[in-house]
Amino acid sequence: MKFALTAVLALCCALQPAIAADAGYAIRLMTPETALKAALAGQAACRKAGFQVTIAVVDRTGQVQVVLRDRFAGMHTPEAAIDKAWTAASFKMDTTALAKATAAGTASSGIRHIPRALAVGGGMLVEAAGAPYGAIGVSGAPSGDNDDHCARAAIDAIIDDLNL
């Protein structure tokens, strides 16, 4: 018994530096200027395609950094864009893929009942240099595929900046 107690104490002491080393961590975040650059690029892509949308950019924790609503975008689009971005950041995947993964009858279909989870196209994760930075949400184009196109343009506008 004494040997077992000694072994447990020795193990605890050996693990102490590892536990202390994991007490904190560093994360990467987009600057507000980078988030705005993405939103403007997404808006430009949508305008070029003839769509009036709202673009939302959230950080990796789902906190809103930028919301940019075009003048004729529908009243529902700001909330939908924010929720699409929040969903992509929260589930660490694009919302088009989440829509397929949570379709009715699948094991994950219950995810659609989580408040704010919006499993429709238009939300894309922003990842660079092996780390998530946040997400882009677009709402107002006639389909999720069109929203995805504008979100991709937003990401393409900043990806080189984030990879440096």
Side-chain angles (χ1 to χ4, degrees):
M1 182 70 168
K2 186 175 181 183
F3 174 74
L5 182 58
T6 304
V8 170
L9 287 173
L11 182 61
C12 287
C13 290
L15 291 176
Q16 190 61 31
I19 293 169
D22 291 336
Y25 60 93
I27 61 171
R28 296 176 185 211
L29 298 171
M30 284 182 271
T31 63
E33 294 80 10
T34 300
L36 180 59
K37 180 179 178 181
L40 288 167
Q43 181 188 53
C46 274
R47 280 182 174 176
K48 184 176 181 182
F51 310 135
Q52 292 279 305
V53 301
T54 296
I55 312 268
V57 182
V58 301
D59 69 15
R60 63 184 286 146
T61 69
Q63 296 299 312
V64 175
Q65 288 189 281
V66 171
V67 177
L68 185 59
R69 180 184 169 272
D70 216 336
R71 66 187 75 110
F72 299 118
M75 293 175 286
H76 67 284
T77 61
E79 184 176 352
I82 291 167
D83 286 351
K84 288 179 184 186
W86 179 90
T87 301
S90 181
F91 291 95
K92 310 265 186 296
M93 65 188 307
D94 296 344
T95 56
T96 296
L98 185 67
K100 292 174 185 165
T102 61
T106 65
S108 299
S109 64
I111 287 173
R112 291 177 177 237
H113 299 289
I114 295 173
R116 294 191 67 189
L118 194 51
V120 295
M124 292 192 154
L125 191 62
V126 177
E127 292 180 290
Y133 276 81
I136 309 284
V138 179
S139 179
S143 72
D145 289 341
N146 294 127
D147 286 339
D148 280 347
H149 170 76
C150 299
R152 172 57 48 208
I155 293 168
D156 288 347
I158 61 171
I159 198 69
D160 289 339
D161 299 337
L162 297 175
N163 275 322
L164 291 179

